[in-house]
Amino acid sequence: MDPDLPEAEPVTRLYQVLHAVPPGRVTTYGELAELAGLPRRARWVGRVLAGLPEGSRLPWHRVVRADGLVADRPGASRQRALLLAEGVMLKGNRVPMARYRWRPGES
DNA sequence: CCCATGACAGATT
DNA sequence: AAATCTGCCATGG
């Protein structure tokens, strides 16, 4: 994979990175912002994800807050279900990040 | 223009 | 551990 695509706009890079997050793992808003080239723009990631179409193939459900909390929003229960289906054992409304957080470069 | 509100996060109290 | 503050920024009242 070519890591630096000079033409890639932040949104495109966000999509690429998110697409690389494997099942059973999660990433965070801040991490995606960082990898998309917009450090400290976690809220921007939230806005982008909120705009994803219904049938998007992107694993939006693998994005949680830095502390592991599943963001409170319409569809959060659905997100929890999808994560559980992938083997992510939630602790209440929280993902144990030490165990499930994905780091770029992992398979 | 001021203020509140969001799929957020790190530091401080 | 939880509340509070600060940074971030688009959007609407």
Side-chain angles (χ1 to χ4, degrees), chain A residues 33-85:
Chain A
E34 182 83 48
L35 295 172
L38 295 178
R40 295 181 294 293
R41 296 288 304 281
R43 300 189 85 116
W44 166 77
V45 174
R47 288 198 302 276
V48 175
L49 295 190
L52 290 179
E54 279 295 321
S56 177
R57 298 179 335 292
L58 289 172
W60 54 269
H61 60 283
R62 296 179 193 141
V63 186
V64 298
R65 293 178 55 143
D67 57 7
L69 279 176
V70 173
D72 180 21
R73 60 176 182 78
S77 59
R78 161 96 165 124
Q79 176 171 16
R80 284 192 290 275
L82 288 169
L83 289 174
L84 286 170

Side-chain angles (χ1 to χ4, degrees), chain A residues 2-106:
Chain A
D2 198 344
D4 37 55
L5 303 171
E7 302 303 303
E9 295 279 333
V11 175
T12 303
R13 291 203 271 176
L14 169 55
Y15 289 163
Q16 294 177 333
V17 178
L18 178 52
H19 190 264
V21 181
R25 309 300 299 285
V26 300
T27 186
T28 72
Y29 296 90
E31 175 90 356
L32 288 178
E34 182 83 48
L35 295 172
L38 295 178
R40 295 181 294 293
R41 296 288 304 281
R43 300 189 85 116
W44 166 77
V45 174
R47 288 198 302 276
V48 175
L49 295 190
L52 290 179
E54 279 295 321
S56 177
R57 298 179 335 292
L58 289 172
W60 54 269
H61 60 283
R62 296 179 193 141
V63 186
V64 298
R65 293 178 55 143
D67 57 7
L69 279 176
V70 173
D72 180 21
R73 60 176 182 78
S77 59
R78 161 96 165 124
Q79 176 171 16
R80 284 192 290 275
L82 288 169
L83 289 174
L84 286 170
E86 296 182 352
V88 176
M89 294 182 289
L90 296 172
K91 197 66 177 174
N93 194 30
R94 185 184 306 278
V95 173
M97 296 305 271
R99 179 163 161 189
Y100 296 108
R101 182 167 182 160
W102 171 81
R103 301 293 184 180
E106 297 181 357

